[in-house]
């Protein structure tokens, strides 16, 4: 973890690990949105399956990260 991130976390009185976790949650939300957008635009059955799996994987990762965040937050 970078020194600047540690300093920012200390100033905000937030654990640095929580900041990293929040960033990962945001990246995962972006992945969900991207997979959903791709799914809505494709017509090829193989690509439809691909984006269904990608969307499901991202949603499961998002749920995992939220649970982890909530457990570390307290």
């Amino acid at each position: 973890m970078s020194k600047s991130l540690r300093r920012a976390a200390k100033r905000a009185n937030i654990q640095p690990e929580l900041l990293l976790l929040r960033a990962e949650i945001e990246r995962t939300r972006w992945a969900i949105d991207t997979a959903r957008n791709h799914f809505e635009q494709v017509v090829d059955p193989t690509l439809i399956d691909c984006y269904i799996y990608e969307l499901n994987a991202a949603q499961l990762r998002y749920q995992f990260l939220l649970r982890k965040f909530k457990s570390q937050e307290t």
Side-chain angles (χ1 to χ4, degrees):
M1 180 179 306
S2 71
K3 288 181 183 180
S4 60
L5 182 59
R6 284 190 195 127
R7 280 187 296 232
K10 191 173 183 177
R11 279 193 306 264
N13 200 22
I14 299 173
Q15 296 175 9
E17 296 80 21
L18 286 179
L19 284 179
L20 291 174
L21 199 49
R22 288 175 95 176
E24 187 62 29
I25 289 169
E26 287 303 313
R27 282 191 295 272
T28 304
R29 285 177 55 179
W30 181 82
I32 290 170
D33 291 341
T34 301
R36 186 176 291 125
N37 289 336
H38 286 144
F39 171 77
E40 291 173 354
Q41 301 205 8
V42 296
V43 292
D44 183 88
T46 303
L47 287 177
I48 290 171
D49 288 345
C50 173
Y51 290 121
I52 288 171
Y53 288 119
E54 193 174 311
L55 181 57
N56 286 336
Q59 288 173 333
L60 288 171
R61 179 168 177 75
Y62 184 73
Q63 291 170 6
F64 165 77
L65 291 170
L66 283 181
R67 281 193 309 269
K68 187 173 178 181
F69 182 82
K70 288 177 183 178
S71 71
Q72 289 185 7
E73 194 174 39
T74 56

